[in-house]
Every structure is written in C-alpha cells, then in structure tokens.
Amino acid sequence: MLAQHDIHPRKRLGQSFLEDLNVIRRIVALAEPAEGETIVEIGAGLGFMTEELAKRAGRVIAIEVDPRLVSILRERFTGQHRVEVVQMDVLKYDFSSACPEGRIKVVGNIPYHISSPILFRLLDFRRSISSMILMFQKELADRIAAPPGTKEYGIPSVIVAKYTKAVCEMTVPPTCFYPVPDVVSSVLRIIVRQETNLPDEALFANIVRAAFARRRKTLWNNLRRIGLPEEIADQVFVRSGIDRTRRAESLSVEEFSLLTKTWIVCADNFLDKPKGL
C-alpha cells in the first residue's frame, strides 16, 4: 500500500508501521471494543487497526498527523459512519471532546520519540478515559510498569501508578514492523483509576520529580530543596513516619501520597504560625 501511494516512512515522525495482522487483532482484543463505545486511535497510519476496531466499536476517531496518510484513511473509510479521521498532532488533541457524555478508550502504536509527552497528556485527560492499550518501546514500558525497589522504578512508574494500573500484556519483536526498528516493543494495558484522593496533584508531581532528581541521594537531600525551611521539611518526615534517609526508589506510591499530604499540613502550619515564634 505504501508503494502504491509512493509513500516513504518519515523518520522525523517516528513512522514504523505495525504490519502483523495477528498482533493488530490481539491489541484490538485487549481494548475490548463494544457497541456504544468511542475509541480514539493514536497514529492510525494506513488504517489496518482502525478497520479492526470499527468492526466492534460504536465509533472510532482515527488521529493521524501525516497528510499523506490522512488522504489514504479518508479514501479507505469513505461512507463508513463509524470512523472519523482527524488530521492533528495528538499532543494538541482534546480527548475530552471525543465523547463529552462518557468516557473513551484509547488505542495506539504511538511514536516512540514522543511517547512520554503523549502518555502524560493522556493522564491530564484521564477523567475522560476509562482505559488505554498503548505500544511503547520495551525499555519505557518496563519503566512505566516497574514496582518499587527495582532499577526501572522512577518518575513515570510513580505518576502512572498513582492514576492508573498498568500491566504489560505482550512483547512485540521488530520484525512485526515496517521499516524494522532497532528496538523491541511492548503493549501495556492501562486502566484509569476512578478516584485518587490527592489534594494537590501538582505538588505530588513536584515531590516525585525532586525525589528522583538525584537517585543516589536520600529523600532528605532531594526534598529539602523544593520550598520549605529545613526545620519544616524535617517535620514532614517526622509526621509521616517515613525515614528521611531512604531513597526514592524504595517508596511506594502510597508513601509518596502520604508525603504530599503531610507536606501540605506542615506548610499550612508554617504559614499560619505568628511571626516571632
């Protein structure tokens, strides 16, 4: 099909087309598309996965940034009311607009050079999303799904686990793509949690990033630098019961949440304290 349309994959767009239909069908099965559901597909490409999704989903919104591929998609799905082709950079797409009356599912073999920005944008729209079936470079997928205490555990692991449950469902070899990439891929099933009970999401993210900023340093050395006097920062560890000499990779998501809540209490007490005391 690429040869027929005289299309050469563009490196700057990270184009590597999944051409193994068995893998495509397994990914679609993981998404569990159903009548009445809206599925947003990231990077629709030539439309092979789009076609499989449209057989079972009520509506498929196929996002593609490359105008050459958009032309093919629109020609391929002309007259199919279930499929809407949208030419857009996915980092600018408003996922909440896909189904204002409900929650959507997201599926995609996403461009590896912008995988992290796409993932965090999806998390920003998590209240409009029920689940995601996404393919990543295996190295990043391992970091996203990593448990505490492992070398892969880091910022993506904690933030993703706070808002979702991520499970690796399969590994996909390079030979399933054209052109053949230099990396192995993994497919994650990411289920969005209904309620996170977190009073300040921005502070949580700042604490996680600061904690992992220098992995070999202790929590105390990393966290005392982000906004409270040392004596108040010390109270955060005393009140939370978390040993300040621990390192970030040893903390669970729940412990990072506890640090955030305790930080808010200690900061409020500091601001309310009368001057001179």
Side-chain angles (χ1 to χ4, degrees):
M1 189 179 288
L2 289 171
Q4 177 186 339
H5 293 273
D6 192 27
I7 291 177
H8 301 280
R10 288 177 172 168
K11 267 191 174 182
R12 68 178 180 84
L13 295 178
Q15 289 178 338
S16 187
F17 299 94
L18 179 61
E19 61 177 359
D20 189 313
L21 287 176
N22 288 326
V23 173
I24 289 171
R25 288 170 183 145
R26 286 177 65 189
I27 291 172
V28 171
L30 287 171
E32 300 179 335
E35 288 287 344
E37 288 186 334
T38 296
I39 294 183
V40 174
E41 181 189 3
I42 298 174
L46 295 168
F48 295 111
M49 192 177 298
T50 314
E51 184 174 358
E52 293 296 322
L53 289 167
K55 291 176 182 177
R56 296 163 60 181
R59 182 176 176 227
V60 179
I61 300 174
I63 301 177
E64 177 54 58
V65 70
D66 190 336
R68 306 170 304 165
L69 300 177
V70 168
S71 297
I72 294 173
L73 289 167
R74 286 179 175 159
E75 180 182 340
R76 181 171 185 172
F77 295 105
T78 296
Q80 294 195 35
H81 69 279
R82 290 176 181 242
V83 179
E84 176 187 349
V85 179
V86 176
Q87 181 179 348
M88 181 175 285
D89 179 348
V90 68
L91 293 175
K92 298 178 181 178
Y93 183 71
D94 180 359
F95 287 88
S96 65
S97 69
C99 185
E101 67 279 7
R103 300 169 81 199
I104 64 171
K105 293 178 177 178
V106 179
V107 179
N109 170 26
I110 61 181
Y112 291 171
H113 67 296
I114 53 171
S115 291
S116 293
I118 290 175
L119 177 61
F120 286 111
R121 182 164 182 83
L122 289 168
L123 290 179
D124 287 341
F125 285 96
R126 64 187 178 277
R127 291 176 181 84
S128 300
I129 299 171
S130 61
S131 66
M132 300 172 258
I133 308 296
L134 302 174
M135 189 181 300
F136 297 91
Q137 183 176 333
K138 184 179 184 300
E139 182 181 345
L140 176 56
D142 289 345
R143 294 207 307 270
I144 292 169
T150 61
K151 65 179 182 179
E152 292 85 7
Y153 188 68
I155 296 170
S157 321
V158 178
I159 294 180
V160 171
K162 181 60 186 174
Y163 303 115
T164 75
K165 180 180 179 181
V167 177
C168 181
E169 294 287 351
M170 68 171 126
T171 300
V172 184
T175 51
C176 293
F177 299 85
Y178 175 81
V180 177
D182 296 327
V183 298
V184 176
S185 303
S186 292
V187 176
L188 295 184
R189 185 206 298 264
I190 303 173
I191 307 299
V192 179
R193 301 185 192 278
Q194 292 286 342
E195 182 57 57
T196 61
N197 190 30
L198 192 62
D200 191 329
E201 294 176 358
L203 177 61
F204 174 80
N206 285 339
I207 287 175
V208 172
R209 291 189 178 100
F212 282 99
R214 298 174 299 170
R215 292 184 70 102
R216 299 184 66 181
K217 297 292 185 180
T218 64
L219 288 170
W220 167 253
N221 283 323
N222 282 335
L223 294 184
R224 65 178 177 165
R225 301 171 179 272
I226 61 170
L228 285 181
E230 286 193 7
E231 66 272 19
I232 306 301
D234 192 43
Q235 287 183 27
V236 172
F237 291 101
V238 173
R239 287 194 176 211
S240 67
I242 295 173
D243 186 345
R244 69 181 193 171
T245 65
R246 290 171 64 184
R247 290 181 172 83
E249 62 265 25
S250 72
L251 265 67
S252 66
V253 176
E254 292 74 22
E255 287 176 309
F256 275 110
S257 296
L258 177 59
L259 272 180
T260 304
K261 293 172 184 176
T262 310
W263 192 281
I264 291 171
V265 171
C266 292
D268 287 346
N269 289 344
F270 174 72
L271 292 174
D272 290 341
K273 187 177 180 180
K275 292 182 179 180
L277 295 180

